[in-house]
């Protein structure tokens, strides 16, 4: 990924903010040599190209992300129309043209007034993606945005809506901030119904994505309307671009991106299953294509950088995605990279995994996280990260290869101890860990190693809480057993793990967080069928942590493991507030 081109990189840094397409630039503000190399500068460096007249095709909608209180990143893909470009192949000739793209932001849906606007350029070097920063915005405000050709010829992009964060000093009193939390969307295993749910209800302010936005494998290809591109594992840059592009044809994913700003991090499948900084599982195809691991990793992360509305951050000598956000004085949000920044090899069994030097994040990311903890004065300190943090006994899961999930933090116990120690050392007020990857819904208290000082009945001694989400479409390790069998596994998991308060592995779905000064409430949603596009969902669980409580509480009655946990009759379905049978006729499996 590192191909120095200092002259070009310097010219890019000198671009006016309104002209800079961030897709061309290095993801790292202090490493310009990561910028896209080439024998010519992007056309945005040439004034005459900015006045060229050509209509554009906006092939994959719009998106926004990484909001601050006064700025946000805007994204689209703009391909010159009628110029012989095969927009779906993501293969380009050196002579294919660049495009001049204009963008505008309004505080009204009708665009009666513009609060920000600019022009930039894109081209085949970045897969015709466009990524700009809209600045000068007001805190905690909705905005609408769109893209057009610089000449105004041809159609505009779809209109997107975004929202800035509150001012860092805003106490957000009497305000509830709502977040939708997603992970693990495999195109071939189902429709991305979950992404559309929050958008259709317009129920959140912001989306957090905790990784596995795409999957590198084309299998299992079982749905005739979900055939992936390419029909092979992703290895080369063009492969990852094609896979991202086919994901972005899903209407519910497009709707979510157009409705809310996203804050996202990658997990392993953005490159390869169980990946770490030095490799992944064996790949015969990678060998056949003569592609070393570092080239494959660079291709996957480069494509992700192009296609996601990510903000540039300062970095060390690699591609960095870990970063933080301040949501008034209500939330300090730290988004981690537990995968490709510095992780040691995955799936290492004991006693080798007990090595005190083993790391998930690397010393620099650990130090950064501890500095955030030390400086935090927010009501809630939220850590968004990829893999299971709690130390759970998974013997109840038939497919588990060991009692400990070694691809999660249980494979790096010393690293987990360091994080828990830092939370206690800096007396972080209300720690909340958000977890993806696991393909099951669950909620747990965070206890010290060995459950030291923890009372599993009252929750006393808990350091904080962990909310884990199931997959958008990817199957659970025990959900495919069937409803009753999955419920039995969930019951055993809760019985055999003192910190685990609830688990549900049968359904696909997501969860929403309702964050106020008084409490954080996690609302778990199940999508009963992903084999077809559907707007059906059901609320199946609620868990609350109160300010200063540091432990999970139920908003009603006692828990029953492995069943839905809504309504006054625990175990009943809720649809529109009415209790119905637990398992409606024709219930599909996720």
């Amino acid at each position: 990924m590192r191909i120095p081109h200092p002259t070009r990189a310097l010219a890019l840094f000198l671009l006016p903010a309104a002209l800079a397409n961030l897709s061309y630039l290095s993801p790292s503000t202090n490493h310009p040599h990561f910028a896209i190399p080439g024998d010519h500068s992007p056309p945005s460096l040439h004034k005459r190209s900015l006045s060229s007249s050509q209509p554009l095709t906006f092939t994959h909608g719009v998106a926004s992300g990484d909001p601050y209180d006064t700025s946000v990143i805007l994204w689209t893909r703009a391909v010159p129309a009628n110029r012989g470009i095969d927009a779906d192949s993501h293969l380009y000739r050196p002579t294919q043209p660049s495009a001049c793209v204009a963008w505008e932001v309004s505080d009204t849906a009708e665009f009666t007034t513009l609060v920000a606007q600019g022009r930039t350029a894109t081209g085949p070097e970045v897969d015709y993606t466009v990524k700009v920063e809209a600045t000068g915005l007001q805190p905690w405000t909705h905005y609408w945005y769109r893209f057009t050709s610089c000449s105004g010829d041809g159609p505009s992009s779809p209109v997107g809506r975004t929202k800035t964060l509150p001012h860092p000093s805003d106490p957000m009193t009497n305000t509830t901030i709502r977040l939708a939390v997603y992970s693990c969307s495999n195109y071939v295993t189902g429709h991305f119904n979950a992404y559309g749910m929050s958008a259709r209800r317009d129920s959140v302010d912001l989306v957090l994505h905790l990784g596995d936005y795409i999957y590198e494998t084309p299998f299992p290809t079982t749905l005739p309307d979900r055939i992936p591109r390419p029909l092979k594992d992703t290895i080369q840059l063009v492969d990852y671009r094609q896979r991202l592009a086919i994901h972005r044809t899903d209407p519910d994913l497009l709707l979510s991106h157009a409705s809310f700003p996203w804050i996202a991090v990658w997990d392993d499948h953005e490159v390869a299953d169980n990946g770490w900084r030095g490799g992944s599982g064996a790949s015969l195809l990678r060998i056949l294509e003569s592609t070393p691991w570092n080239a494959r990793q660079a291709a996957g992360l480069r494509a992700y950088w192009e296609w996601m509305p990510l903000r540039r951050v300062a970095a060390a000598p690699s591609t960095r995605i870990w970063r933080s956000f301040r949501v008034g004085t209500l939330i300090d949000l730290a988004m981690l990279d537990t995968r490709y920044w510095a992780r040691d090899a995955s799936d290492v069994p004991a006693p080798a995994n007990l090595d005190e030097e083993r790391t998930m994040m690397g010393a620099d990311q650990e130090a950064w996280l501890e500095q955030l903890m030390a400086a935090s004065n927010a009501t809630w300190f939220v850590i968004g990260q990829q893999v299971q943090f709690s130390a759970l006994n998974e013997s109840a899961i038939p497919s588990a290869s060991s009692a400990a999930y070694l691809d999660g933090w249980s494979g790096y116990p010393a690293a987990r101890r360091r994080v828990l120690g830092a939370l206690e050392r800096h007396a972080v007020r209300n720690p909340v860990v958000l977890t993806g990857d696991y393909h099951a819904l669950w909620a747990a208290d965070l206890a010290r190693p060995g459950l030291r000082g923890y009372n599993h009945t009252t929750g006393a001694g808990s350091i904080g809480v962990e909310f884990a989400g199931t997959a958008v479409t990817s199957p659970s390790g025990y959900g495919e057993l069937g409803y009753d069998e999955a419920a039995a596994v969930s019951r055993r998991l809760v019985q055999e793990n003192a910190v685990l308060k609830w688990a549900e592995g049968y359904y696909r779905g997501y969860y929403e967080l309702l964050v106020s000064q008084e409490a954080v409430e996690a609302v778990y949603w199940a999508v009963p069928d992903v084999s077809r596009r559907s707007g059906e969902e059901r609320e199946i669980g609620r868990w609350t942590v109160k300010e200063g409580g540091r432990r999970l509480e139920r908003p009603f009655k006692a828990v029953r493991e492995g069943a839905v946990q809504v309504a006054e009759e625990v175990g009943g379905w809720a649809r529109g507030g009415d209790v119905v049978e637990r398992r409606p006729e024709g219930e599909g499996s996720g």
Side-chain angles (χ1 to χ4, degrees):
M1 193 168 187
R2 178 176 178 174
I3 306 177
H5 201 293
T7 303
R8 178 170 186 214
L10 178 60
L12 284 164
F13 276 112
L14 295 176
L15 277 174
L19 295 181
N21 180 355
L22 302 183
S23 290
Y24 278 105
L25 303 186
S26 167
S28 163
T29 55
N30 59 347
H31 286 80
H33 46 262
F34 286 129
I36 288 292
D39 296 328
H40 61 280
S41 297
S44 56
L45 298 179
H46 307 293
K47 298 294 184 182
R48 61 186 179 188
S49 70
L50 287 176
S51 61
S52 61
S53 175
Q54 59 181 357
L56 302 173
T57 301
F58 296 94
T59 61
H60 290 83
V62 296
S64 70
D66 279 15
Y68 285 169
D69 59 316
T70 60
S71 68
V72 67
I73 303 300
L74 309 178
W75 181 97
T76 193
R77 183 172 184 249
V79 180
N82 308 318
R83 299 298 294 272
I85 299 172
D86 182 356
D88 294 328
S89 72
H90 306 268
L91 290 169
Y92 308 103
R93 298 187 304 272
T95 57
Q96 285 179 320
S98 301
C100 181
V101 185
W103 55 273
E104 53 190 21
V105 180
S106 177
D107 53 7
T108 67
E110 298 77 22
F111 288 83
T112 52
T113 57
L114 297 183
V115 299
Q117 58 186 316
R119 296 190 300 173
T120 190
T122 188
E125 305 96 332
V126 292
D127 206 17
Y128 287 101
T129 58
V130 177
K131 188 158 54 172
V132 297
E133 182 179 10
T135 60
L137 308 180
Q138 295 299 308
W140 203 230
T141 301
H142 272 123
Y143 291 98
W144 289 260
Y145 61 96
R146 64 189 176 193
F147 299 84
T148 64
S149 69
C150 290
S151 64
D153 294 338
S156 299
S157 74
V159 172
R161 186 189 67 172
T162 190
K163 192 173 188 178
T164 50
L165 295 183
H167 188 276
S169 64
D170 189 337
M172 303 300 288
T173 306
N174 301 320
T175 300
T176 297
I177 291 180
R178 297 168 181 264
L179 314 173
V181 186
Y182 295 103
S183 61
C184 305
S185 48
N186 191 344
Y187 182 83
V188 301
T189 56
H191 291 260
F192 298 158
N193 299 330
Y195 286 134
M197 302 303 183
S198 291
R200 279 186 287 274
R201 287 188 282 107
D202 198 16
S203 58
V204 300
D205 303 297
L206 180 70
V207 168
L208 301 185
H209 199 284
L210 301 180
D212 292 345
Y213 182 83
I214 65 169
Y215 277 66
E216 82 288 357
T217 176
F219 306 111
T221 306
T222 58
L223 301 176
D225 58 346
R226 304 292 279 188
I227 304 301
R229 295 190 65 189
L231 198 57
K232 71 177 190 74
D233 281 2
T234 51
I235 303 292
Q236 314 299 336
L237 178 58
V238 64
D239 300 336
Y240 288 103
R241 286 172 169 174
Q242 288 183 3
R243 186 77 91 239
L244 282 155
I246 196 69
H247 275 62
R248 285 281 186 94
T249 63
D250 184 278
D252 289 302
L253 178 56
L254 290 172
L255 179 63
S256 180
H257 272 305
S259 302
F260 310 118
W262 279 42
I263 296 177
V265 288
W266 52 58
D267 194 14
D268 54 338
H269 288 288
E270 282 81 359
V271 180
D273 185 31
N274 287 356
W276 54 287
R277 62 182 168 86
S280 68
S283 172
L284 177 61
L285 183 61
R286 181 168 66 82
I287 296 170
L288 292 176
E289 294 190 9
S290 302
T291 304
W293 165 254
N294 61 349
R296 183 184 188 184
Q297 183 190 57
L301 301 187
R302 177 72 223 183
Y304 186 89
W305 163 251
E306 292 171 348
W307 278 77
M308 297 296 285
L310 299 172
R311 186 178 290 274
R312 301 169 70 220
V313 293
S318 184
T319 302
R320 169 180 162 179
I321 201 170
W322 41 281
R323 60 211 191 280
S324 63
F325 298 85
R326 174 82 168 180
V327 187
T329 62
L330 186 61
I331 304 170
D332 276 334
L333 173 64
M335 298 292 282
L336 307 186
D337 181 353
T338 63
R339 187 59 68 176
Y340 290 122
W341 178 258
R343 175 196 274 247
D344 289 322
S346 301
D347 292 320
V348 174
N353 69 358
L354 303 179
D355 186 343
E356 290 293 320
E357 300 301 317
R358 272 177 63 77
T359 184
M360 285 282 272
M361 297 189 292
D364 47 3
Q365 189 178 178
E366 284 189 20
W368 164 84
L369 180 61
E370 183 161 2
Q371 288 169 3
L372 290 179
M373 294 177 185
S376 178
N377 64 352
T379 303
W380 303 96
F381 191 86
V382 179
I383 299 174
Q385 56 94 49
Q386 294 79 358
V387 293
Q388 180 193 107
F389 188 83
S390 297
L392 301 182
N393 173 5
E394 298 193 342
S395 301
I397 301 176
S399 61
S401 58
S402 68
Y405 183 52
L406 298 178
D407 193 50
W409 288 81
S410 289
Y412 306 78
R416 179 169 53 204
R417 284 197 303 273
R418 290 193 292 269
V419 173
L420 292 172
L423 289 171
E424 287 204 277
R425 191 159 51 251
H426 298 290
V428 176
R429 284 176 64 182
N430 295 289
V432 177
V433 174
L434 309 180
T435 295
D437 178 69
Y438 198 69
H439 305 182
L441 298 165
W442 48 273
D445 286 336
L446 294 180
R448 299 174 182 86
L451 304 182
R452 178 170 50 86
Y454 177 70
N455 185 315
H456 72 90
T457 301
T458 65
S462 177
I463 295 172
V465 301
E466 180 176 10
F467 297 118
T470 189
V472 172
T473 62
S474 302
S476 164
Y478 63 96
E480 292 183 304
L481 298 173
Y483 183 89
D484 293 328
E485 294 81 359
V489 171
S490 292
R491 282 192 291 272
R492 273 196 59 193
L493 286 170
V494 173
Q495 292 163 2
E496 295 172 4
N497 289 278
V499 296
L500 190 62
K501 304 307 174 186
W502 176 63
E504 201 297 309
Y506 180 72
Y507 292 103
R508 307 305 88 219
Y510 65 105
Y511 61 103
E512 292 180 349
L513 287 183
L514 285 57
V515 186
S516 68
Q517 291 288 359
E518 293 73 36
V520 171
E521 186 173 41
V523 183
Y524 290 92
W525 293 92
V527 176
D529 186 6
V530 297
S531 67
R532 59 184 176 86
R533 192 179 182 209
S534 169
E536 185 179 8
E537 67 174 346
R538 295 187 179 93
E539 181 188 325
I540 63 170
R542 282 184 183 245
W543 288 91
T544 298
V545 55
K546 293 180 180 178
E547 198 283 321
R550 295 171 173 254
R551 64 185 183 274
L552 291 168
E553 298 183 18
R554 295 287 303 158
F556 45 79
K557 295 201 175 180
V559 67
R560 189 169 80 192
E561 301 86 0
V564 292
Q565 299 295 321
V566 297
E568 293 185 9
E569 305 258 341
V570 174
W573 281 110
R575 185 186 290 118
D578 297 324
V579 178
V580 297
E581 291 184 8
R582 187 182 71 178
R583 296 180 63 188
E585 286 293 323
E587 186 67 74
S589 71

